[in-house]
Amino acid sequence: FSTYNIPTSVTSIGNSAFYNCSKLQSITIPSNVTSIGDSVFFQCLNLQSITIPSNLTSIGDSAFYDCQSLQSITIPTSVTTIGNSAFFGCNVLQSIAIPASVTSIGDSVFYYCDNLRSISIPPIFKLQISRIFRRIPLSEIVIQPLCTSNCDTL
């Protein structure tokens, strides 16, 4: 199958669920899914697009490892954890924004993302850029502000 809609009864996508599904091009994850396990889309070489629900809280280790055709992904503001090598080898991906909700991010998350040029990250990770974005020809790094509204109350 090239397109798949995960049933609405699913709340968590288990480890290696779509491992090496080379024909998969597009997938829609329902809004009640809160976690994507480890290696879920590992080597889904033709996966181009994915709709991630706004309730997702975690992206597991190597979740999108070697998804060489993944063109874009929006990480929702509900996500708090991104595992090691989550987007390793997603070499078509050109930009990524990590929301301020993310408090834990693994090593080599964007390793070998050869076309990644622009990133936006929360300020807590500014000293860890080399650990998160290894071997990438970045041309723009945006460190998000610590505060965006009602900052005088801090």
Side-chain angles (χ1 to χ4, degrees):
F1 51 90
S2 64
T3 301
Y4 187 73
N5 293 320
I6 295 175
T8 56
S9 58
V10 174
T11 58
S12 178
I13 304 173
N15 296 348
S16 306
F18 295 91
Y19 190 97
N20 201 22
C21 287
S22 59
K23 293 184 180 183
L24 184 64
Q25 293 178 356
S26 175
I27 192 157
T28 300
I29 300 172
S31 61
N32 50 326
V33 170
T34 58
S35 67
I36 295 175
D38 297 344
S39 305
V40 170
F41 300 102
F42 191 99
Q43 289 188 328
C44 290
L45 301 177
N46 291 304
L47 182 63
Q48 297 172 11
S49 67
I50 185 163
T51 303
I52 294 182
S54 59
N55 293 329
L56 191 76
T57 59
S58 66
I59 298 172
D61 293 347
S62 304
F64 297 93
Y65 190 104
D66 213 16
C67 289
Q68 296 178 8
S69 300
L70 188 62
Q71 297 172 359
S72 67
I73 191 161
T74 301
I75 300 172
T77 56
S78 55
V79 171
T80 58
T81 304
I82 300 174
N84 294 322
S85 305
F87 298 96
F88 185 108
C90 294
N91 54 14
V92 177
L93 201 60
Q94 293 184 4
S95 66
I96 193 79
I98 298 172
S101 59
V102 174
T103 55
S104 174
I105 192 163
D107 287 335
S108 305
V109 173
F110 297 98
Y111 197 80
Y112 283 107
C113 292
D114 297 334
N115 288 301
L116 189 60
R117 299 288 185 265
S118 174
I119 63 165
S120 175
I121 62 169
I124 64 169
F125 299 116
K126 70 181 178 184
L127 298 178
Q128 301 172 35
I129 289 173
S130 64
R131 177 181 66 82
I132 300 166
F133 300 94
R134 291 183 182 160
R135 257 189 64 81
I136 300 174
L138 290 171
S139 57
E140 178 183 35
I141 299 172
V142 175
I143 309 289
Q144 300 160 2
L146 282 171
C147 182
T148 56
S149 64
N150 296 324
C151 299
D152 55 342
T153 61
L154 294 177

